[in-house]
Amino acid sequence: MRTSSEADILAVVESAKRAVSNLMRTGRVWEYSLLSRIMQSPDTIGRMIEELESRGNAVVGIPTAAVPAVPDVPVEAPAESSSESSGELYQCPDTTKQGTSLRERMASLGYYKKHSLDHDLLVSFAKFLQFDMSNENFKQEVENVARFLYFMDPQQASLLFVRQHEKSREYFLKLSEAGLSKQTVQNYIKSVKRFLKFHTGSTDLCFTDRVLHEDCKNYISFLDNIQMATSKQVSKETTRKRFDTFQEGVLSSTQVTAVLAAAKKDFLAVIGKLHAGECSPGHQLTLTELQLVLYYLEAIVILEHAQWPGVVEHMTVTEWISRRRDDTRPGFVVVAVKEHKTAATFVLTQEQEMWFDLYFSEVRPVMLGKKRKHVEDDDETDERFFISSTDKAIYNASNDLERLHKKYQVPKVTSQMARRAYETATKELSDVQKTKVAGYLTHSTATAEKHYRMKEIGSAVDAFLRNLRGDSDSDQSDTPRGSSAYLTDQAAYDKLLRSYPVTLDGRRHGESRPDYPRTWPARVC
């Protein structure tokens, strides 16, 4: 450094100051929930080493035979994150496959290493996503960018990577070679692109460094070209998945809900304790039992009622309290969830309503760290209904569902597989019934809006009873016979022809004057 210029020396000093500041902020404070997740992970030492290194600490003397650190984050779906999941109790690692999984391969290659999320560039980007864009999954996107920045420059996070096009292309190529799907690589590109758009359009970069600002704009164009090339690969990947789905066939309703049947005995045992009031301060439920109740109720919504995982993740206390009962069939209640891509509704039986209510009054307060006796005691009525063991909202219901399947060694069934099974089962139904099922599954915004407002909540109950559960309800017809809605298009057209037959001298529909010329041009007919 003695021969370096004064500007270079000052840059190194400022970099060292920032590194020390980050270390002081993140290296000394640890959350208890994070330590608990580390202790419960399959590779405790590796997970701890990875967390220490991400906070700027150096771990020396690691044996060469040590298992690579396995971060507690998902790979195939960047929109998901296990760090905020419901806990690790149901993680069932297969020791025979260690070192071969995608996560471990990514970790061994160093692609999980990232810069501290407390860096100024990332903090401002996170606030933009969270508050300006109202992105609830902003943390995962920020972590994607932090990993990318670490690959481009392990020493310091900066925007200078925009001048390294070849290395950037190499990073995205390495992600694909490691085994990530093309869609996941595309999501990484989108995260970096949004990161740059924020700094070029929502900061003072254009005034403080015009040259770097222009380089950032050129880099965005560079990412556009990569996206165009990747999009074709994504389409091919999607086609292959559809073909694989066709080859696998469609599951039956029994196969879809197999995990519910397998876990029901244990679940009812826990519910029995809650219902009998056995859970006094001296007989509290274990964390395993609490999570079983949570996972089972999530599975009911996703598998039995064929709802998207987002319905579980976004359902609020207010929406649960505002559930409506069917007047004609008081044994069923309808729950409406509006904070979703498309507003959703699902129907609960009287028994299921009791389970959900016990969770709400007994399990959920424990998850939050407080024992609430009455609904009125909670002022935050708009908070999430489903709460994880880390006292936070459910971040990824799909991960919870997968843990439940692993726990009871049942073949994995995803929300898409469940919805596909119910969609296939409706092919033989009438148009009216298909419309009800489409509304129940919220296939489109228009349909969802129509069924969410629900002047008659019996429509949702009909869709659940007749078409999803397979029950018959003869005392409730879809539409009164003889009404205009009952007639099919062909029947309505035949009725019109009988009332107003098409002839050369026939009168038009609604014609009241009998003295129209008989020589009316034939084209009118």
Side-chain angles (χ1 to χ4, degrees):
M1 294 298 295
R2 293 180 180 179
T3 59
S4 301
S5 64
E6 184 177 354
D8 292 339
I9 295 175
L10 289 176
V12 173
V13 171
E14 290 299 322
S15 176
K17 287 182 178 179
R18 285 194 295 269
V20 172
S21 178
N22 289 335
L23 180 62
M24 295 294 290
R25 286 199 308 268
T26 64
R28 299 192 304 167
V29 180
W30 294 76
E31 291 185 5
Y32 179 80
S33 59
L34 174 60
L35 293 176
S36 298
R37 291 198 297 273
I38 292 176
M39 294 302 296
Q40 295 171 1
S41 62
D43 179 22
T44 306
I45 295 179
R47 180 71 176 86
M48 190 66 188
I49 292 175
E50 200 277 337
E51 186 65 35
L52 286 170
E53 291 179 343
S54 68
R55 292 169 177 254
N57 295 277
V59 181
V60 298
I62 301 176
T64 55
V67 180
V70 181
D72 190 19
V73 292
V75 174
E76 277 301 316
E80 303 173 352
S81 175
S82 311
S83 60
E84 300 294 341
S85 66
S86 302
E88 304 299 328
L89 241 59
Y90 289 166
Q91 293 285 6
C92 305
D94 186 355
T95 56
T96 62
K97 296 183 179 179
Q98 281 195 357
T100 60
S101 70
L102 185 55
R103 291 184 181 183
E104 292 176 345
R105 185 160 61 253
M106 289 284 292
S108 63
L109 293 173
Y111 299 151
Y112 278 142
K113 294 181 179 180
K114 59 179 181 287
H115 283 298
S116 171
L117 302 183
D118 293 326
H119 192 280
D120 293 341
L121 290 174
L122 297 173
V123 169
S124 58
F125 180 53
K127 290 181 178 178
F128 169 75
L129 294 176
Q130 183 179 12
F131 300 111
D132 293 16
M133 303 295 294
S134 299
N135 187 343
E136 294 185 359
N137 295 335
F138 70 94
K139 183 178 178 181
Q140 181 63 53
E141 189 159 354
V142 176
E143 289 180 346
N144 290 345
V145 176
R147 297 188 191 103
F148 171 77
L149 293 178
Y150 186 90
F151 179 87
M152 300 303 293
D153 186 357
Q155 302 301 323
Q156 178 65 37
S158 69
L159 295 177
L160 297 179
F161 69 87
V162 298
R163 296 165 183 169
Q164 297 176 291
H165 288 202
E166 291 298 327
K167 191 173 182 179
S168 301
R169 190 187 300 275
E170 178 188 357
Y171 175 74
F172 299 124
L173 181 60
K174 285 182 178 294
L175 291 182
S176 296
E177 293 175 347
L180 292 187
S181 67
K182 301 300 181 182
Q183 182 61 62
T184 303
V185 176
Q186 185 86 293
N187 290 342
Y188 269 86
I189 297 174
K190 290 179 181 178
S191 297
V192 177
K193 188 176 179 180
R194 186 176 297 183
F195 172 73
L196 283 179
K197 285 188 174 181
F198 160 71
H199 283 288
T200 55
S202 301
T203 65
D204 296 333
L205 182 63
C206 60
F207 303 108
T208 57
D209 195 332
R210 287 185 175 275
V211 176
L212 182 59
H213 182 268
E214 190 65 27
D215 290 340
C216 289
K217 292 172 65 176
N218 292 334
Y219 191 88
I220 292 175
S221 299
F222 162 72
L223 291 179
D224 288 337
N225 294 333
I226 296 181
Q227 275 187 299
M228 290 179 61
T230 309
S231 61
K232 296 181 180 179
Q233 298 173 346
V234 171
S235 299
K236 293 181 179 179
E237 190 176 71
T238 303
T239 302
R240 286 195 299 269
K241 288 181 178 179
R242 289 176 179 172
F243 177 77
D244 293 340
T245 301
F246 174 77
Q247 292 292 92
E248 292 172 0
V250 180
L251 300 177
S252 65
S253 59
T254 303
Q255 292 173 312
V256 169
T257 58
V259 70
L260 293 175
K264 190 169 185 178
K265 182 179 180 180
D266 294 341
F267 171 76
L268 290 180
V270 179
I271 291 295
K273 293 181 181 181
L274 294 172
H275 198 269
E278 296 180 14
C279 298
S280 59
H283 299 81
Q284 293 292 338
L285 294 179
T286 64
L287 180 59
T288 303
E289 292 174 324
L290 292 172
Q291 289 183 324
L292 174 60
V293 174
L294 174 66
Y295 292 171
Y296 196 90
L297 297 184
E298 290 183 60
I300 286 177
V301 177
I302 297 174
L303 298 181
E304 184 171 336
H305 298 283
Q307 298 298 319
W308 290 113
V311 175
V312 169
E313 297 160 5
H314 292 84
M315 180 179 170
T316 64
V317 172
T318 302
E319 290 163 344
W320 168 248
I321 297 175
S322 303
R323 64 190 183 278
R324 296 178 58 189
R325 192 169 302 280
D326 187 5
D327 295 333
T328 59
R329 284 156 294 193
F332 300 93
V333 295
V334 177
V335 181
V337 180
K338 62 181 179 181
E339 292 298 330
H340 183 49
K341 292 181 179 180
T342 54
T345 55
F346 60 92
V347 178
L348 298 177
T349 64
Q350 192 170 7
E351 183 182 36
Q352 291 172 345
E353 182 189 13
M354 181 267 290
W355 296 342
F356 274 71
D357 199 50
L358 282 175
Y359 160 81
F360 177 62
S361 60
E362 300 294 333
V363 176
R364 185 174 177 277
V366 177
M367 296 290 200
L368 288 171
K370 58 183 180 180
K371 188 66 176 178
R372 185 183 58 198
K373 295 298 183 182
H374 302 287
V375 175
E376 292 77 14
D377 295 340
D378 189 6
D379 296 330
E380 301 178 359
T381 56
D382 58 343
E383 60 185 337
R384 295 288 187 257
F385 180 79
F386 289 104
I387 301 296
S388 71
S389 58
T390 59
D391 70 18
K392 296 180 181 179
I394 295 297
Y395 191 86
N396 189 342
S398 297
N399 283 353
D400 294 347
L401 189 63
E402 183 176 359
R403 292 187 184 100
L404 189 63
H405 282 91
K406 287 183 178 179
K407 167 71 175 179
Y408 289 94
Q409 299 180 354
V410 177
K412 177 183 175 182
V413 178
T414 65
S415 60
Q416 290 184 343
M417 296 167 68
R419 291 171 66 86
R420 191 181 305 122
Y422 291 125
E423 290 164 3
T424 304
T426 63
K427 292 186 180 297
E428 303 300 327
L429 300 178
S430 66
D431 292 339
V432 174
Q433 291 173 323
K434 286 181 180 179
T435 301
K436 287 186 177 182
V437 175
Y440 196 84
L441 299 180
T442 59
H443 277 182
S444 64
T445 303
T447 306
E449 288 289 335
K450 177 177 64 177
H451 287 279
Y452 175 69
R453 292 182 182 134
M454 276 234 238
K455 296 179 180 179
E456 296 181 1
I457 64 174
S459 297
V461 179
D462 283 340
F464 170 64
L465 284 179
R466 296 186 176 191
N467 309 319
L468 294 184
R469 206 171 72 170
D471 293 358
S472 60
D473 191 11
S474 57
D475 60 332
Q476 295 290 330
S477 61
D478 292 328
T479 312
R481 184 174 294 272
S483 66
S484 59
Y486 178 81
L487 296 176
T488 64
D489 292 344
Q490 184 62 43
Y493 182 71
D494 293 340
K495 183 177 180 181
L496 177 65
L497 291 181
R498 289 194 299 270
S499 302
Y500 301 94
V502 179
T503 60
L504 293 177
D505 57 351
R507 61 189 182 89
R508 296 180 299 170
H509 171 55
E511 180 60 46
S512 58
R513 293 176 55 189
D515 55 343
Y516 268 91
R518 299 281 181 153
T519 58
W520 205 293
R523 60 183 177 85
V524 175
C525 299

